[in-house]
Amino acid sequence: MLGLMQDYPLLTHTILDHGALNHGERELVTRSVEGPIRRCTLAELRSRALRVAKALEREGVKLGDRVATMAWNTERHVETWYGVMGLGAICHTLNPRLFAEQLDYIINHAEDDIVFVDLTFVPVLEALKQRLGTVRKYVVLTDGAHMPNTSLPNAVAYEDWIAEVDDDFSWKHFDENTAAALCYTSGTTGNPKGVLYSHRSNVLHALMANQPDVFGLRSEDSLLAIVPMFHANAWALAFSVPAAGAKMVMPGAGMDGASIYELLDSERVTATAAVPTVWLGLLQYLEQTGKKLPYLKRVVVGGAACPPMMIRKFELDYDVELIHGWGMTEMSPIGTTGNMKHATSILDREAQLKLKEKQGRTPYLVEMKVVDDDGKEIPRDGKSAGHLLVKGPCVSKGYYRLEDSVLTADGWFDTGDIANIDELGFMQITDRDKDVIKSGGEWISSIDVENAAVGCPGVAEAAVIGLPHPKWTERPLLIIKRDDGSAVDADEVLAYLDGKIAKWWMPNDVVFVDEIPHTATGKIQKMELRKQFKDFQFSN
Amino acid sequence: MLGLMQDYPLLTHTILDHGALNHGERELVTRSVEGPIRRCTLAELRSRALRVAKALEREGVKLGDRVATMAWNTERHVETWYGVMGLGAICHTLNPRLFAEQLDYIINHAEDDIVFVDLTFVPVLEALKQRLGTVRKYVVLTDGAHMPNTSLPNAVAYEDWIAEVDDDFSWKHFDENTAAALCYTSGTTGNPKGVLYSHRSNVLHALMANQPDVFGLRSEDSLLAIVPMFHANAWALAFSVPAAGAKMVMPGAGMDGASIYELLDSERVTATAAVPTVWLGLLQYLEQTGKKLPYLKRVVVGGAACPPMMIRKFELDYDVELIHGWGMTEMSPIGTTGNMKHATSILDREAQLKLKEKQGRTPYLVEMKVVDDDGKEIPRDGKSAGHLLVKGPCVSKGYYRLEDSVLTADGWFDTGDIANIDELGFMQITDRDKDVIKSGGEWISSIDVENAAVGCPGVAEAAVIGLPHPKWTERPLLIIKRDDGSAVDADEVLAYLDGKIAKWWMPNDVVFVDEIPHTATGKIQKMELRKQFKDFQFSN
């Protein structure tokens, strides 16, 4: 027997409708790509999003078509998202930091129809345009006055383009499982794979993100959305902010410490979210200028592990709650957040700061477990590490135009991470499964050794890989890039590590290199390092 | 094209699974019906809920069967809910305050199979048992030691009954639209009607309730759930508390001021929810004893309009945030809550307190509008009143075993209330549509006149009804029950009202009665009053 509640599909545009009707006066503030700060209201944003949808329909875009964006966080980008999705088309966010051949691959793989592009990235697409066979039109996210002279075919200025229509348009009706957005994730090997979000998953994810123990936005918040909209669904912010009726502040292309600080201060930002690199820039700026953060209450840090130093600075020096988060593009992306809970709020401050170094705990709607190589669940003891598996309505079951499900037989998604979970549900990632070092039947965490090594004076960057060893199967090799001018040597590094990591984790050798190879999104290419050092012989 | 996210139905038992796994140590504290305070953890509660499901299955209960409860808020009642729903059966909450003939009607209409009953209510069912043809078994929510000598057929003590099985049981899998719970709503006329919640609506409603600008529970909260589980789905608390991993405190049968205060104090309750009557009892107790509320941060008041005096006492005298809420059984039940928002947080304190008298604003997933008699939407100006219509995934589309949809042609549910909505989205109920007084083409709010009249010294209760009038169509008659010993007269009452309500709202006459008739759930029976005064002639 079915319940007798209304059939009300969870569609992303219902969020914008709610925000515009009930918080229509609330502002969106953008540092524009053209330069000046621009302001509009949620009501105006909805009106413009409707015009985007109407203009797209006039171009012949229909349910299921892919429309791409390559853009910074601006109100025009948000309008485009809602306009594309509200028409039933699929909003494909392009990460401009990808290599040209990856962009070429994903635009063609997605068969993008129309591309919205910020001024900054016009040259990127101009260089690729010959190879982008499916793209019919380029909408440059600017006005006529700033429209560049471009070789992109059928290029039009966004403001001119939406000026041709009014906002008399009704959002389309469709099933809530309809695809809403597409975001390719680039691993360290192979072609990027497309994660295909649905309207349902985006709406549920926004509700999940707005739980008080996750990001917990309220109307009174002023939220600076630094995490890019081309990065893993912008951590739900384009949906959770209008759902809460909060103010949304967007940095455009200005990601340096001074620009970020200016917005935090002038827009009295209470909550914000970004990757550690951005926060390093801000903290440096604050230290140089002696400025404080009187309005900011909480900062979400994700996308990469948050250095312990950063946790202490925000919490102790600036009295800002730091929420360490973890997720994946395949998880929409929120997996865990390090919000305190009852059992941790009674711990002392030092213990809490230590706990915040972990990736955090799952909100309702994310299930998580760690399993051994045979798929058997491992105890939640905070020590035993295993493969991290996840499940939930906002977790992928497959990739765009790849036939097979990627789930385990019982429906779990393997994150590719190695992690432990403690008794209180806090998870800590210790490695990527392909990077873990198997020594004498036990695992050595390359991440833990790297984190310890970068603390050594003179070390700029560290990478640890496992190499074959006759007795122990594998043993760790520590690869170091020195600070400019540093002459730190292997003995000094090993002496520094002594006592900081388990004895049997101690690298068998240390080598120094001029450069450690990275992917386009900044991850260390361990595969490349393993290739480079495949003939290396341990001295012991 | 569909998205590629996991097929993960929203089922109520996933909430309990989440709570038990991630907040397994968190307590549920109950003032038991037997007397002593009982404590258990979320992990234990889940284990016992699994045993309820297993024991029910052993009794032959299956998907879609109705299992009823007539019980106070206790941990056993919560276990029963989850056990019944996790089996795919439908949990039918019986309101013990209903009249015998209404209980008879709804138990037979629902065709309840098994009934769980608290000690308090055994006599209620004993008196009815001959007429309850579908009920096969009665489970008395107590242990063997407290089991009464009862004439109920096939009666068993709950603890004995679940002791016969272990918790080795897997929740059933089914569609998220499967019916989960049934709650009859009794209007002022006709038979009660059954609202049939689904698993999906209960889960979405819990996510909605836990948004920061609604009830916003976090793990650190200690929540005293006073609003009965037989009253409109307990305002989501049985779901939202385990979802957040908060502590859940339950008053059992102890609803008086002293008992409530004792739990607020001993369990360091931070948030609580109940109808105004309960708060009157608590406020009286606090005034008599001089006690304070040092732990309590916010109190949700709903089920009936919150008197302005109550708002001021909680906010000003006790420094507790009062959240005025409104909803309906048919809305799961949350419709609006009076949380401040950005545009109201900048108002002065007096203006905020005044605003809190309104019913509040909608969270995302509730749509709301007011329309005129022709169904045309009325402006959100805070003055123009009309029929209040609502829409959303947690709003009813029909009633149990009544064939027809009750929605308007375009899918809205008519609440039967007359209300206005202001520019900021705050809604204020001014009347029930069948009680509104149509005078000279305009509407007079009977509620506003009643609220003003009860402020007059000597007035215990006031009811206003419209009676035919040759010139104005209808005019208001004010019916008053005096305080014991009071001799207040009509002129004094009218003089008191002067200046407090619009001139043309002034009642044409005032009459005094010994008793104002009420329904079982405490609503004034205006229909009855209109019958009683149908031949009344206005003196002017």
Side-chain angles (χ1 to χ4, degrees), chain B residues 170-201:
Chain B
S170 295
W171 304 121
K172 300 291 177 184
H173 291 282
F174 36 79
D175 186 283
E176 69 185 25
N177 291 301
T178 301
L182 177 61
C183 182
Y184 281 74
T185 174
S186 62
T188 46
T189 58
N191 281 321
K193 290 176 288 185
V195 174
L196 196 62
Y197 305 116
S198 67
H199 282 262
R200 171 183 165 101
S201 69

Side-chain angles (χ1 to χ4, degrees), chain B residues 39-50:
Chain B
R39 318 182 84 87
C40 75
T41 66
L42 254 178
E44 288 161 359
L45 185 107
R46 175 173 180 272
S47 162
R48 290 165 57 90
L50 285 163

